[in-house]
Each structure stands twice: as structure tokens, then as C-alpha cells.
Amino acid sequence: MSNSLRNRVNLGRILRFPSIFFLFLFLFLLAGSKSYAQMIGWGYKDAIQVQNPGPLKLNHQVLLTLNTQALISLGRLQATGADLRFSKDCNGLSQYSYYIESGINTTATKIWVLTDSLAANSNRVITMFYGNSTAPAGSSFDNTFPPSSRLIVSAGTITLNGTNNFSWFEIALGATVLVGPNSPFVINARRIIIAGILDGNGSGHLGGASISNGSGPGGGFASTGNAGTFGAGGASYAGIGGPGGYPPPASNAPLTGQPGLTYENASTDSINMGSGGGGSTVVGGAGGGGITLTGDFVNITGTIRANGAAGTNS
């Protein structure tokens, strides 16, 4: 028996705006051996225990963070990790697809393994094989994250609405995803990368039509003074919006549009769309989008926008 590296990985990261919380799925690299049941041609294997405290997961990509540098330095693993294999059984007869995302020959190599099922509130042991100096590369992005299950926006601009479920969601540098109007926006994915722009400006509750209140729980109130020319109230969220008042009324302030009611606060992690501003002689601006990103591994180096929009003449 050889000593192996003990590893604990945070698999369930849920990123929300403006708050973050975590769902943990733990993986432990347990033991290595060169004997007993073994895949022919491979010198070593390790048992990896996956603990799933949540519901049943089918065709689920599991993220492992492994110290491949130690294995490579011992001469047990090819420098590229080509000889890694993952199996449902200890004989290597039911192999899983996998993808080495990053960090080979480091202490934090990111490897995704596509498991067939993880029963609810249970443990599963999968086996990692290595130690074959002539094995061809087994890592496959397409097999681990099938094209039909992922969305990669590599260039240009697209619009998405509502709740979207992917295995891999990525907005590349220079690309933009616009959030559709008047509906909460949710991305559920194993892997989320935002290097470009996710634009939810003005995608929240609609602004009020001419001399009408804005929509949403914090919608601004319409201007009623002088056919709407005194200005409508701004929408509220965790803080109160501004009152109307252009041009400033002399003595009839009640005719000025009042701000909407507050309906969130900075200490909650619930995500709601911004409410619309009240209408005056122009249509009130729509609120900012409500954006929720839920992923096991999330990287954001780009821009996420969720500002309210200005009023318009149409």
C-alpha cells in the first residue's frame, strides 16, 4: 500500500448577488495501492469517496482538486496527466469521462469527472487509476461536458431569459449576454466563467407608463401635478428612492410623485428584480435585473451589470 494525498474539495458553490453562500460536497482521496483488483497496464489506483448530502444527481460532473505535482515528482503520473483514468468500479471496467481543466503538475489540479449518478444523502466511491507511461490522453472536454448541455458565448451578443440550466456556462472576453426584461434571471451550472459582460441593466420590473405607477413591490408613484410635469417618484429597493419634483413645486408637494416602498435590506441573500420608476410625461425607467448564478466553481473576471434604466419618451 502506498500513502496517498488526502484532499477536501468544495464542490457546491452558490454565488448570488449581492450575497454568497455555499453548499458543500466533499471529496476525499483515501488510499493508493499497486495490488489487488487493478486495471491492466496501470500501476496505481486511489479510492475517492464522494459524499452527496443533497438530492439525487444524475450525469453529474464532480470537481476534484488534486495534488498531481506530488504524483508526477514520484514518477507515478505522466507530466501531462494523460494516464489518469476514473472508474465506477475498482477494476476499471466502467470508466467515467473526465476533463483536466487546469493546473496539471501543481498542488491544485482541477479535474472534472462525469459520474452517472449520486444517490441522495449517500456516499459513492470511485477509483482513480494512474501509472501508465504509454497511455494516451484520456481527458475530454466534449465527453465530460457534452455540447448539448453547455453554453459558451465566445463572441458577439445574445439575449437570455428566465432560468437556464447548463453543465458549463461561459461568457468569453469580448462577448455579451443581455438579460431579458421583466423576469428574474438564473444560471445553474457546474462551471461558470464570466470574462465578458452579463448585462442586466433595465431588465427588472417595468417603469410606469405616462402618469402611472411603476411596477414591482417598490415601484415609484406617478406624478399627478400639472399633467405629470412635476416628476414621478423613483423606485425603492433596500433603500428608498428619490421623490419627483421637476420642476420643483411651490406649495403642492403632494402632487409630486412619491418614491416606492422598500422591500429588501442589505442583510438578506434573497435576490429580487429592481422595481420600475413612476411615470410622468415620460415612461418611467425599468428596474435593474435580478441575477442569480449557482455553480460548483465560479470565476468572474468580467462585468455584471444590474442598474436601473432611465425614463424614456416612448
Side-chain angles (χ1 to χ4, degrees):
M1 299 284 286
S2 64
N3 292 328
S4 65
L5 306 170
R6 206 170 269 278
N7 204 22
R8 172 173 172 170
V9 178
N10 173 11
L11 189 71
R13 182 178 182 188
I14 299 181
L15 178 58
R16 296 188 175 188
F17 295 85
S19 302
I20 300 174
F21 69 90
F22 297 92
L23 170 67
F24 292 96
L25 188 61
F26 303 100
L27 298 102
F28 299 91
L29 192 59
L30 299 180
S33 69
K34 292 188 65 175
S35 57
Y36 307 106
Q38 179 70 330
M39 190 163 64
I40 297 174
W42 272 257
Y44 302 92
K45 68 179 181 180
D46 290 301
I48 300 173
Q49 186 181 81
V50 180
Q51 298 178 350
N52 177 23
L56 170 68
K57 296 178 174 63
L58 299 176
N59 299 317
H60 186 84
Q61 293 87 358
V62 172
L63 176 60
L64 309 179
T65 301
L66 304 178
N67 184 351
T68 57
Q69 185 179 79
L71 298 178
I72 291 170
S73 67
L74 292 171
R76 297 181 178 183
L77 178 67
Q78 291 187 37
T80 61
D83 51 328
L84 285 170
R85 299 293 186 270
F86 297 88
S87 180
K88 184 176 181 178
D89 55 65
C90 62
N91 298 313
L93 299 178
S94 300
Q95 293 187 28
Y96 290 131
S97 297
Y98 74 95
Y99 171 59
I100 302 174
E101 181 180 348
S102 64
I104 193 66
N105 200 11
T106 72
T107 59
T109 307
K110 302 295 185 184
I111 303 174
W112 295 91
V113 178
L114 179 58
T115 59
D116 55 348
S117 65
L118 297 173
N121 304 308
S122 67
N123 300 335
R124 156 68 66 83
V125 174
I126 63 177
T127 306
M128 180 178 78
F129 296 90
Y130 53 99
N132 185 330
S133 61
T134 62
S139 174
S140 172
F141 181 55
D142 283 347
N143 289 342
T144 309
F145 293 92
S148 61
S149 72
R150 69 184 191 237
L151 177 63
I152 299 176
V153 185
S154 57
T157 300
I158 69 169
T159 299
L160 292 177
N161 301 278
T163 298
N164 303 267
N165 299 303
F166 302 107
S167 63
W168 184 291
F169 176 75
E170 180 175 352
I171 307 174
L173 181 65
T176 298
V177 170
L178 299 177
V179 176
N182 203 29
S183 177
F185 181 73
V186 178
I187 293 289
N188 298 310
R190 304 288 173 275
R191 183 71 168 104
I192 297 176
I193 301 173
I194 299 179
I197 298 173
L198 177 58
D199 191 347
N201 284 353
S203 65
H205 292 288
L206 300 178
S210 178
I211 316 182
S212 298
N213 297 338
S215 62
F221 290 93
S223 169
T224 59
N226 198 21
T229 59
F230 287 162
S236 300
Y237 190 74
I240 194 165
Y246 180 81
S251 59
N252 53 354
L255 300 178
T256 299
Q258 299 300 301
L261 305 175
T262 59
Y263 58 103
E264 284 293 353
N265 63 73
S267 65
T268 66
D269 57 13
S270 60
I271 301 298
N272 283 295
M273 298 186 298
S275 295
S280 59
T281 57
V282 299
V283 175
I291 298 173
T292 301
L293 305 178
T294 303
D296 294 341
F297 187 26
V298 179
N299 284 124
I300 301 173
T301 58
T303 302
I304 298 177
R305 300 169 179 162
N307 299 314
T312 65
N313 287 317
S314 58

